[in-house]
């Protein structure tokens, strides 16, 4: 009953906004371009197969994705490969190009299209809860916006570090990241060797009509999807040699997370 | 009943609604007393900082958080222009009028002296210890070294603490050593291999390369090793012994060893045995054998791996037939320098001593007559083979690469064979019989080399590659034939021939070729590939046949009709152009090559010259349409030219088999085949079903076929190759694979069909024969890890052959059933059995049942976590192993029975070793 009134004034480390004088602008619709970078070589592991590919495959795969949001709804999809990517790396990661995420935070449902082993899978479900831990006091500037830090742990072992800006009111972010009081402009998942960083936020050029889920014939829920992936990948990765087995399990888990997120 | 339930529900929901509370209030600007809109109000768990809920204030600064469970929380209010406000609140019931006010940042700045450090705090120092300064015992591991370092402690469980913090990661030369467990490196590395021990707080890998400091650090120890200390070895020894009563004892040894030090790898293997294992298994080949693989990684993401095949014209020996004793040994050395230069060197030696007893039966249909030949051959072959192979891979820079391969193979073969054969006609009438003995002694050397230079231009997809290759093949030997041949007429003996002669073949062939390929992207979807190949081939063949003269006891008298001296020169120029198109679902490629061949054969003995010029076409086109992800269909057309071989051209008779002679035809034209094929592949991920089907048909113009001149009375046959038109062959195949979930069983079904229309010549007349052979294969698999593995494979095929010679049709069914099962007990014991039932339907030509039941059993136990394995078993328990082959070719039906190694009992062990701890290897 008695709340010990303990007021704490916090002061972000960056003082860039000291000179801001105009009325605070909150953005609730627009587009954000993300640069998504993955260290693919790390995901290959060791072994004969990796050695062959290592020469052709570049260390990083870099792609650009676009998040279009308005009215608490958003679409996120592939836009382009980075110019520095060679043909082989592009083809190796061709299934990235068909990923599509649609979120509706008002009606609390989402539609996600993923390429799983070259088949397109549609997931239609309510939006699962993301348990974020706020880390106040740490922040970073991304794409010209001051972003606060938050952290989440999925399934006890996958760490996610995100930076979100309160100035963009849309509670979403790139790919399968959402649920913070502002748009997520930067995410890192060390386990997947991947980072998503916003490079550009644009208020113009948004086609509001295009922010819709589109059609999907056969859909499944997240639970069904998880069961399907677990079943298909369970016998793909195992080995009798203990060291190899451990590494193969890592690759299998990583594959799972890549698809899940 | 219903009322009570309703009441309970109401009560329950009342309680719930009672216990879920709403927090609401207003947020205002402290200095100006205005409402703050769009500010974020968050509710956070005080213990773990988890964000429970958040909302934004409306235009009047009002906010509302609903459905909050009772408890203690932290409420945080923030807006970019204001300083954040955090407060403890306790929720027991609804909390209205939670009003807060925030101080604008601008105001704060005026009041408080600004002092901000840089966003990055310097976290900890790196402390470096020099390892050699601390004394440890001779074979101590790193754990003992760490205990000696001030500031570092290791407790009884192996947990390492540095500066009071637990060390979570131990790296070796900046990299993880066999995984995440810090104990791995510490317990398994020798202390005297370490140069420095560095202690610091390491940022996460991701933070290091993205630059986003995620705040994760780990107390880390990095062991910097002295140079050349990262080394190890592993190997395998497998020894099998099988005592025998009637034939010599069986034995088989496999010894393999591999050692690595940095980028340098050295492996060796040694195989010796007489159970028919003539080469390393696939797995062992990867680890110990030379890289016989060529891999091509192409830009569209596909990878092709194929064994570099060069048979050097050696006959293929199936090690399962007959009885083979072999000795194989090889070394592999490979090294890599500065990631740019790779070198791989593999010398290998192989010795085979091979004996075989073969029974064969051939039937030729000539009009209403048949000619049956029965032979029994006894063979002994002994062959030494020495191989050297070297590969240099040079990555000159990011645009240029060079690969040089050199091979040298030396063969020495000695063989002795004795054949008894009889030819009979209708009703078993004797036509002829012979007994011959052929012994050979042969030396062969084959040297070849290859250079590939590849250059990438600045413009993407524009590439140039130059490929040069040469090979030299030399054969020199002698072959002695002693035979006695008896002819019959009307079933009665009518003359005989004795032969005793020796021929000395001496052949030499040099080939050099250079191919240049250039690829140019025309636009985003199209690319053009141009290539030009020039090849020169020069060969000589000198064969002298001499008869034995009893007077001198030597082979002196030259037999002119069987002696020959050839020289051949073949020049080929092949320009090719292909256009490739690739966009979304469609991939197409169309192109053609033209081959300008100039063929010059000089017969020195007969003083004749055959001069020929050909223009060959190599058109090809293919289309792949991926209409759905994982579903694709492919059409392709190929035109292929086949040149006649020198054996088919040279007009020299081979009369080793007196009653079956072969003579070449210098007027042979090259054959040209049109092949059309269709393939469809689909994989349904959701159902886990994969299916494929395809087929191909080939029409051959000027097919090179054999003209058999058969004298039905004497039973003598002379065969000569000729060109014919009208050959068609084709095959269709399909396959479907799926899993039956309720019983966790995988099933694969593969039907196939092959058919052909074959035009041959018999006594200078065209004969047409047709074959038709449908097959169906079924494979069923079920396994449970560490419990059992079961698989059944069954293949049924029906073969039918008709010929225009007569109205008979030869047809039969073959069924092959194999069952393979392994059961594991208590993880270390396993029992394995393989049962094979081979059914061959009897036919008129082979009226006895030739069915075999072959059963193998093996019992195995592993020790010390798979390091040792002991096994005992019996191969071919029913003593029935035999090799039987049946085939049709035109008007000829033949069946061969090869002797094989039958029942033997064996006992053996395998030892897998690798260095983990103190190694005496330096």
């Amino acid at each position: 009953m008695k709340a010990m009134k303990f007021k704490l004034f916090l002061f972000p480390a960056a003082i860039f906004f000291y000179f801001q004088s105009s009325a605070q602008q909150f953005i609730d619709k627009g587009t954000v371009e993300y640069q998504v970078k993955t260290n693919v070589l790390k995901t290959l592991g060791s072994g004969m197969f990796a050695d062959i590919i290592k020469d052709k495959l570049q260390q990083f795969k870099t792609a650009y994705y676009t998040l279009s949001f308005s009215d608490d709804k958003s679409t996120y999809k592939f836009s382009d490969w980075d110019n520095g990517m060679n043909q082989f790396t592009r083809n190796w990661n061709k299934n990235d190009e068909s990923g599509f995420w649609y979120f509706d935070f008002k009606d609390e449902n989402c539609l996600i299209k993923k390429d799983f082993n070259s088949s397109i899978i549609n997931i239609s479900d309510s939006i699962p809860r993301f348990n974020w831990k706020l880390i106040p006091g740490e922040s970073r500037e991304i794409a010209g916006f001051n972003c606060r830090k938050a952290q989440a742990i999925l399934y006890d072992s996958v760490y996610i570090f995100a930076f979100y800006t309160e100035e963009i009111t849309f509670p979403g972010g790139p790919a399968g990241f959402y649920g913070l009081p502002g748009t997520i402009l930067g995410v890192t998942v060390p386990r997947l060797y991947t980072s998503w960083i916003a490079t550009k936020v644009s208020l113009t050029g948004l086609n509001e009509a295009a922010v819709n889920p589109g059609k999907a014939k056969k859909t499944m829920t997240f639970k069904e999807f998880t069961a399907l992936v677990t079943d298909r990948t369970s016998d793909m990765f195992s080995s009798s040699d203990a060291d190899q087995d451990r590494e193969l399990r890592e690759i299998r888990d990583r594959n799972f997370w890549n698809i899940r997120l | 009943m219903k009322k009570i339930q309703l009441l309970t529900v109401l009560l329950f929901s009342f309680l719930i609604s009672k216990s879920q509370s709403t927090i609401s209030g207003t947020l205002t600007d402290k200095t100006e007393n205005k409402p703050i809109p769009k500010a974020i109000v968050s509710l956070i768990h005080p213990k773990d900082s988890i964000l429970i809920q958040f909302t934004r204030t409306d235009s009047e600064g009002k906010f509302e958080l609903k459905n909050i469970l009772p408890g203690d929380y932290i409420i945080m209010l923030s807006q970019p222009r204001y300083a954040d406000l955090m407060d403890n609140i306790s929720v027991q019931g609804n909390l209205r009028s939670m009003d807060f006010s925030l101080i604008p940042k601008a105001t704060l700045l005026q009041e408080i002296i600004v002092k901000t450090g840089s966003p990055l705090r310097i976290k900890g120092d790196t402390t470096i210890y020099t390892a050699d300064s601390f004394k440890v015992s001779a074979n101590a591991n790193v754990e003992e070294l760490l205990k000696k370092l001030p500031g570092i402690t290791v407790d009884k469980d192996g947990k390492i603490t540095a500066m009071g913090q637990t060390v979570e990661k131990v790296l070796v030369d900046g990299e993880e050593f066999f995984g995440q467990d810090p104990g791995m490196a510490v317990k398994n590395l020798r202390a005297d291999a370490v140069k420095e021990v560095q202690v610091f707080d390491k940022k996460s890998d991701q933070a290091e390369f993205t630059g986003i400091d995620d705040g994760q650090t780990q107390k880390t120890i990095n062991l910097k090793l002295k140079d050349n200390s990262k080394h190890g070895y592993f190997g395998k020894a497998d020894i099998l012994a099988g005592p025998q009563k009637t034939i010599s004892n069986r034995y088989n040894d496999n010894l393999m060893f591999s050692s690595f030090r940095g980028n340098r790898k050295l492996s060796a293997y040694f195989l010796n045995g007489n159970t028919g294992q003539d080469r390393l298994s696939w797995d062992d080949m990867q680890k110990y054998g030379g890289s016989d693989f060529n891999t091509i990684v192409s830009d569209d993401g596909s990878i092709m791996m194929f064994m570099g095949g060069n048979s050097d014209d050696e006959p293929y020996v199936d090690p399962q037939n007959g009885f083979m004793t072999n000795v194989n040994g090889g070394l592999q050395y490979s090294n890599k320098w500065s990631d740019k230069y790779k070198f791989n060197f593999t010398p290998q030696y192989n010795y085979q001593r091979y004996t075989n007893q073969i029974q064969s039966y051939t039937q030729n249909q000539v009009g209403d007559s048949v000619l049956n030949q029965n032979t029994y051959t006894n063979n002994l072959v002994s062959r030494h083979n020495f191989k050297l192979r070297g590969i240099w891979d040079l990555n000159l820079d990011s645009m240029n690469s060079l690969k040089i391969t050199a091979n040298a193979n030396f063969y020495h073969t000695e063989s002795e064979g004795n054949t008894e054969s009889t030819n009979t006609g209708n009703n078993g009438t004797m036509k002829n019989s012979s007994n011959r003995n052929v012994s050979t002694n042969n030396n062969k050397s084959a040297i070849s080399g290859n250079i590939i230079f590849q250059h990438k231009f600045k413009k993407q997809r524009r590439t140039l590659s130059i490929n040069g290759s040469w090979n030299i093949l030399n054969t020199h030997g002698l072959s002695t034939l002693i035979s006695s041949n008896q002819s019959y007429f009307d079933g009665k003996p009518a003359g005989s021939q004795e032969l005793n002669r020796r021929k000395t073949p001496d052949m030499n062939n040099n080939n050099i070729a250079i191919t240049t390929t250039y690829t140019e992207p025309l636009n985003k979807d199209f690319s053009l590939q141009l290539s030009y190949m020039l090849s020169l081939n020069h060969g000589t063949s000198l064969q002298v046949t001499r008869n034995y003269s009893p007077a001198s006891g030597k082979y002196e008298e030259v037999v002119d009709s069987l002696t020959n001296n050839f020289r051949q020169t073949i020049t080929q120029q092949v320009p090719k152009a292909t256009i490739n198109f690739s966009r979304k679902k469609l991939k197409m490629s169309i192109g053609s090559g033209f081959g300008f061949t100039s063929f010059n054969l000089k017969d020195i003995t007969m003083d004749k010259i055959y001069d020929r010029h050909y223009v060959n076409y190599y058109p090809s086109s293919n289309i792949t349409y991926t209409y759905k992800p994982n579903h694709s269909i492919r059409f392709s057309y190929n035109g292929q030219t086949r040149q006649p071989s020198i054996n088919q051209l040279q007009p020299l008779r081979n009369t080793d088999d007196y009653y079956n002679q072969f003579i070449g035809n210098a007027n042979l034209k090259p054959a040209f085949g049109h092949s059309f094929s269709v393939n469809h592949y689909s994989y349904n991920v959701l159902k886990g079903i994969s299916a494929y089907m395809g087929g191909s048909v080939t029409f051959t113009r000027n097919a090179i076929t054999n003209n058999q001149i058969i004298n039905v009375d004497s039973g003598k046959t002379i065969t000569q190759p000729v060109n014919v038109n009208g050959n068609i062959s084709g095959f269709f195949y399909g396959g479907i694979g799926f899993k039956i979930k309720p019983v966790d069983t995988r099933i694969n079904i593969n039907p196939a069909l092959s058919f052909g229309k074959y035009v041959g010549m018999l006594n200078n007349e065209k004969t047409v024969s047709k074959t038709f052979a449908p097959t169906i294969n079924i494979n069923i698999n079920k396994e449970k890890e560490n419990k059992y593995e079961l698989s059944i494979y069954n293949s049924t095929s029906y073969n039918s052959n008709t010929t225009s010679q007569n109205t008979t049709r030869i047809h039969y069914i073959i069924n092959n059933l194999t069952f393979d099962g392994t059961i594991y007990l208590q993880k270390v014991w396993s029992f394995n059995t393989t049962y094979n039932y081979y059914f061959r339907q009897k036919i008129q030509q082979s009226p006895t049942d030739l069915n075999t039941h072959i059963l193998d059993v093996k019992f195995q136990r592993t020790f010390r976590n798979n390091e040792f394995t002991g096994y005992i078993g019996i191969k071919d328990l029913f003593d029935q192993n035999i090799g039987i082959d049946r085939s049709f070719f035109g008007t000829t039906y033949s069946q061969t029975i090869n002797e094989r190694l039958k029942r033997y009992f064996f006992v053996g062990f395998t030892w897998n070793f690798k260095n983990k701890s103190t190694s005496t290897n330096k």
Side-chain angles (χ1 to χ4, degrees), chain B residues 432-550:
Chain B
N432 58 57
S433 74
S434 63
N435 180 305
R436 66 177 176 275
N437 191 298
V438 180
S439 64
T440 70
N441 186 314
N442 212 314
N443 281 314
K444 189 190 278 193
S445 71
I447 300 178
S448 65
N450 190 294
I451 299 184
I452 305 180
F453 170 70
Q454 286 177 309
H455 174 77
K456 273 196 270 217
F457 292 85
K458 278 222 185 97
K459 183 167 179 188
Q460 261 212 355
R461 287 158 67 209
R462 179 185 283 167
T463 60
L464 174 72
S465 85
I466 302 178
N467 185 319
S469 71
W470 74 96
N471 32 59
I472 304 172
L473 185 65
N474 264 316
T475 313
H476 181 94
L478 59 82
S479 156
T480 312
L481 168 75
I482 302 175
S483 72
S484 115
N485 310 289
Q486 177 72 51
S487 304
Y488 290 76
F489 189 74
D490 256 351
K492 293 200 221 59
S496 65
Q497 257 264 20
E498 306 287 321
L499 297 172
N500 189 337
R501 60 183 189 228
R502 176 174 287 178
K503 74 177 170 205
T504 50
D506 197 338
M507 295 191 269
N508 181 292
N509 197 303
N510 292 2
N511 194 60
I512 182 165
I514 180 162
T515 312
T516 309
T517 313
Y518 175 72
T519 318
E520 169 74 31
L522 298 172
N523 63 24
K524 195 162 78 110
D525 305 321
F526 285 91
S527 76
L528 173 70
Q529 186 178 68
L530 299 164
S531 81
Y532 174 74
M533 178 194 87
L534 172 66
S535 91
L536 298 158
N537 181 301
H538 180 85
T540 59
S541 158
L542 170 63
Q543 260 191 129
V544 184
T545 308
R546 294 183 173 85
N547 269 330
Y548 179 73
S549 15

Side-chain angles (χ1 to χ4, degrees), chain A residues 1 3-13 15 17-18 20-24 26 28 37-39 42 48-49 52-53 55-56 60 83 85-88 90-92 94 115-121 129-134 136 138-140 146 148-149 151 159 161 163-171 179-182 186-190 193-197 218 220 228 231-232 235 238 240-241 243 246 249-250, chain B residues 30 37-40 42 44 48-54 56 76-90 92-93 99-103 105-106 108-110 112 114 116-117 119 175 178-180 184 204-207 209-216 282 286 293 295 297-303 305 336 342 395 456 460-461 584 628-631 683-688 739 741 746 785 866 914 916:
Chain A
M1 278 310 164
M4 273 302 293
K5 292 251 161 167
F6 168 49
K7 288 197 172 141
L8 178 68
F9 292 99
L10 285 176
F11 191 91
I15 53 169
F17 301 100
Y18 173 52
Q20 202 170 317
S21 54
S22 51
Q24 182 60 47
F26 286 96
D28 60 1
K37 226 170 162 183
T38 307
N39 187 337
K42 288 260 186 182
M48 179 185 92
F49 191 66
I52 295 169
I53 306 250
D55 297 327
K56 266 271 182 153
F60 288 101
N83 282 334
M85 297 255 299
N86 67 19
Q87 194 62 33
F88 181 77
R90 281 174 206 234
N91 278 308
W92 190 253
K94 215 170 174 65
D115 182 322
F116 175 55
N117 271 27
S118 300
S119 283
I120 303 285
I121 301 224
R129 195 187 151 71
F130 229 115
N131 273 326
W132 291 103
K133 172 169 151 170
L134 297 185
E138 284 198 50
S139 64
R140 186 165 204 97
N146 185 42
R148 291 174 182 263
K149 184 171 170 178
Q151 177 181 308
Y159 280 78
F161 304 99
F163 289 87
Y164 66 97
T165 173
E166 294 175 349
E167 292 168 62
I168 308 178
T169 61
F170 179 68
L180 284 167
V187 191
T188 313
V189 184
Y193 302 102
T194 307
S195 69
W196 291 254
I197 311 286
K218 263 192 97 176
M220 59 178 84
L228 176 73
D231 178 58
R232 293 276 175 269
D235 40 30
S238 73
S240 49
D241 179 34
D243 296 326
R246 203 186 15 81
R249 269 183 216 281
E250 259 298 307
Chain B
K30 193 163 193 150
K38 299 233 177 150
I40 296 178
S42 320
I44 301 170
D48 50 18
S49 302
I50 297 267
L51 175 65
I52 309 284
Q53 229 192 81
F54 65 87
R56 287 198 183 241
M76 181 166 107
L77 302 110
S78 57
Q79 212 265 23
R81 285 176 75 210
Y82 297 86
D84 293 342
L85 173 64
M86 287 166 104
D87 206 349
N88 290 328
I89 60 171
S90 185
Q92 299 302 332
D99 299 329
F100 298 92
S101 53
L102 300 179
I103 303 178
K105 283 184 201 164
L108 262 182
L109 281 166
Q110 288 161 10
I112 301 171
V114 173
T116 58
E175 299 273 319
F178 291 126
Q180 309 255 19
M184 267 309 254
S204 72
D205 286 349
Q206 212 54 17
F209 95 83
T210 58
I212 299 180
D213 185 1
D214 54 27
Q216 286 278 89
W282 180 273
Q286 294 307 312
F293 281 112
T295 42
V297 181
S298 64
D299 270 352
D300 64 2
S302 60
I303 297 173
M305 291 173 68
K336 196 171 177 183
K342 278 194 269 199
N395 251 340
K456 273 196 270 217
Q460 261 212 355
R461 287 158 67 209
K584 289 193 195 233
K628 248 200 304 190
N630 259 344
H631 293 69
Y683 176 50
N684 185 325
V685 161
L686 295 179
K687 298 197 186 141
K739 194 169 181 179
K741 276 233 183 93
R746 267 180 293 135
E785 201 179 337
N866 273 343
K914 75 172 138 171
K916 283 229 165 196

Side-chain angles (χ1 to χ4, degrees), chain B residues 224-248:
Chain B
K224 273 198 89 66
L225 297 183
K226 296 178 188 164
D227 295 317
N228 290 334
S229 278
K230 199 172 7 174
H231 71 278
Y233 61 85
F234 58 90
K236 175 167 151 178
D238 186 298
I239 304 194
L240 178 154
Q244 288 273 321
K245 273 192 274 201
T246 49
I247 52 175
S248 56

Side-chain angles (χ1 to χ4, degrees), chain A residues 45-258:
Chain A
S46 60
M48 179 185 92
F49 191 66
D51 282 330
I52 295 169
I53 306 250
K54 264 186 184 133
D55 297 327
K56 266 271 182 153
L57 198 61
Q58 293 167 287
Q59 189 183 13
F60 288 101
K61 78 171 170 186
T62 311
Y64 295 95
Y65 288 74
T66 308
L67 175 74
S68 308
F69 59 95
S70 107
D71 204 24
D72 275 345
K73 296 201 271 271
S74 70
T75 59
Y76 175 81
K77 59 185 173 199
F78 179 82
S79 161
D80 227 326
W81 289 109
D82 184 71
N83 282 334
M85 297 255 299
N86 67 19
Q87 194 62 33
F88 181 77
T89 314
R90 281 174 206 234
N91 278 308
W92 190 253
N93 297 298
K94 215 170 174 65
N95 48 358
D96 288 355
E97 296 173 18
S98 37
F100 173 83
W101 288 254
Y102 168 81
F103 285 94
D104 184 341
F105 291 103
K106 217 183 275 181
D107 294 335
E108 293 201 6
N109 59 49
C110 63
L111 178 72
I112 301 178
K113 297 189 185 162
K114 287 265 180 161
D115 182 322
F116 175 55
N117 271 27
S118 300
S119 283
I120 303 285
I121 301 224
N122 301 309
I123 305 169
S124 174
D125 207 342
S126 56
I127 301 178
R129 195 187 151 71
F130 229 115
N131 273 326
W132 291 103
K133 172 169 151 170
L134 297 185
I135 315 260
E138 284 198 50
S139 64
R140 186 165 204 97
E141 191 195 333
I142 301 178
F145 289 86
N146 185 42
C147 298
R148 291 174 182 263
K149 184 171 170 178
Q151 177 181 308
I153 306 177
L154 278 189
Y155 292 78
D156 296 333
S157 56
V158 184
Y159 280 78
I160 301 171
F161 304 99
F163 289 87
Y164 66 97
T165 173
E166 294 175 349
E167 292 168 62
I168 308 178
T169 61
F170 179 68
F177 304 107
Y178 53 83
L180 284 167
T183 304
I184 301 171
L185 295 184
V187 191
T188 313
V189 184
R191 189 81 172 278
L192 298 179
Y193 302 102
T194 307
S195 69
W196 291 254
I197 311 286
T199 48
K200 198 162 58 189
V201 176
S202 174
L203 307 176
T204 56
L206 168 70
N207 181 356
E208 286 187 60
V211 182
N212 67 67
K215 292 209 204 314
K217 274 178 275 181
K218 263 192 97 176
T219 65
M220 59 178 84
T221 62
F222 275 113
K223 202 160 157 202
E224 288 164 358
F225 175 67
T226 309
L228 176 73
V229 175
T230 314
D231 178 58
R232 293 276 175 269
T233 57
S234 60
D235 40 30
M236 275 206 273
F237 298 96
S238 73
S239 167
S240 49
D241 179 34
D243 296 326
Q244 264 203 321
D245 191 48
R246 203 186 15 81
E247 188 183 280
L248 284 172
R249 269 183 216 281
E250 259 298 307
I251 297 178
R252 180 193 67 195
D253 290 342
R254 209 177 291 120
N255 267 316
F256 179 76
W257 298 125
N258 252 324

